[in-house]
Amino acid sequence: MSQLSELLSPSTILLDADAADWREAIRRSGELLVSTGATDPAYTEAMIRTVEEHGPYIVIAPGFALAHSRPDESVHRTGMSFVRLAEPIAFGNAANDPVTLVMALAAADSSAHREALAALAGVLADPARRSLLDEARTREDVLAALAADGAGPGERSAEDSRSGAAARTDTGSGTGAMVDAHAVPSKKLLLTVCGNGLGTSLFLKNTAEQVLERWGWSSHLDVQATDTISAKGRAKDSDAILTSGAIADTLGEVGVRVEVIENFTSQAEIDAALRRIYAV
């Protein structure tokens, strides 16, 4: 099974849960982490404060929220939970509301969950696998959907393939090269930003890297996930920032281009943003 499935168990999955608002929805997901000993209740409250402070940036795809906060003493081990709501709830994200699926992530460090988020990106980007999550009747059905074989985050449609090909030229070696990529000299760095630098920014980083890999630009650009505080200090060392609308508002003017991404699972949306940044 994937690391994503290994971080979930039947005891951390709740189907058709009642919740009055987004805070209660996050609490339901946090309670599952507490029940398995992954976190203390303080971590659940920290996930709620993160949204209160930075806005609903955790709603990273239509109908899907990834609740998380910084690692601290309230996190005992890396874990995830899955909640499907009985009724959709608005989190305040106009692009992706209402939310029906809430997953909570507790990271014991900054790297243990990277593979899990990459796997999750693949599930959410695949309409068939996403439908399995929406329609699952049992907890075992959820685990099966998350572990099912699929092309994952690297899967692309014919349209994606055409757009990727348009961003390449034949160098004779078959590897492709950057085409009129920079109106100004590139610093070879892109930042993906979220409130904590450990959850949604990693998710966005993964999808951006898939696009760059498809273009043949992976060796030209480094994509790094970071938090809002670090991003303000590092912005001028980068070509641009990719982030959510809520985080863009938090960042304010940082001296470089900020591209707002609504659907963090959409290679097409990120492809378009990178084309604007690099004048491709």
Side-chain angles (χ1 to χ4, degrees):
M1 295 206 304
S2 70
Q3 186 177 349
L4 174 60
S5 297
E6 292 168 0
L7 292 178
L8 285 162
S9 67
S11 60
T12 58
I13 297 172
L14 181 61
L15 298 179
D16 303 325
D18 292 322
D21 55 26
W22 66 265
R23 289 179 177 83
E24 188 172 352
I26 292 177
R27 286 197 178 94
R28 299 304 296 272
S29 66
E31 287 166 359
L32 295 173
L33 295 175
V34 173
S35 69
T36 59
T39 66
D40 292 334
Y43 184 75
T44 302
E45 297 307 312
M47 291 193 294
I48 293 171
R49 285 197 303 275
T50 295
V51 178
E52 291 173 340
E53 293 172 3
H54 299 291
Y57 76 92
I58 65 169
V59 187
I60 59 176
F64 178 85
L66 180 65
H68 61 287
S69 188
R70 294 179 184 275
D72 60 20
E73 63 277 2
S74 66
V75 178
H76 305 301
R77 59 177 173 81
T78 299
M80 298 185 78
S81 67
F82 177 98
V83 173
R84 189 176 68 200
L85 299 170
E87 298 293 337
I89 288 177
F91 275 57
N93 185 308
N96 294 323
D97 273 343
V99 170
T100 55
L101 302 181
V102 180
M103 290 187 72
L105 167 68
D109 57 53
S110 61
S111 61
H113 57 297
R114 290 177 185 265
E115 291 181 12
L117 290 181
L120 179 58
V123 174
L124 297 176
D126 183 335
R129 297 174 76 192
R130 169 63 191 265
S131 292
L132 291 176
L133 295 178
D134 291 330
E135 299 168 5
R137 296 184 178 183
T138 67
R139 296 169 178 175
E140 288 72 21
D141 288 344
V142 172
L143 291 173
L146 293 173
D149 291 334
E155 182 178 2
R156 63 181 186 266
S157 65
E159 181 180 356
D160 287 334
S161 298
R162 289 192 296 271
S163 66
R168 299 162 61 103
T169 56
D170 186 358
T171 62
S173 64
T175 59
M178 300 175 71
V179 184
D180 189 24
H182 310 296
V184 296
S186 173
K187 297 168 185 175
K188 299 183 178 181
L189 174 64
L190 282 170
L191 297 178
T192 61
V193 184
C194 74
N196 301 294
L198 296 172
T200 58
S201 60
L202 283 173
F203 203 104
L204 183 54
K205 166 184 163 70
N206 177 77
T207 311
E209 287 177 337
Q210 293 293 333
V211 174
L212 292 174
E213 175 67 23
R214 174 161 51 81
W215 284 14
W217 284 24
S218 294
S219 62
H220 297 286
L221 291 169
D222 183 23
V223 184
Q224 296 184 13
T226 189
D227 59 27
T228 53
I229 295 174
S230 298
K232 290 179 180 180
R234 301 181 60 196
K236 292 182 180 179
D237 295 324
S238 70
D239 293 339
I241 287 173
L242 303 180
T243 191
S244 68
I247 295 298
D249 291 341
T250 298
L251 287 172
E253 177 56 51
V254 290
V256 298
R257 183 172 188 149
V258 176
E259 283 284 342
V260 171
I261 306 298
E262 293 182 347
N263 184 349
F264 284 21
T265 71
S266 173
Q267 288 193 24
E269 184 176 353
I270 294 172
D271 180 293
L274 293 178
R275 289 175 183 278
R276 290 192 294 271
I277 293 167
Y278 293 112
V280 173

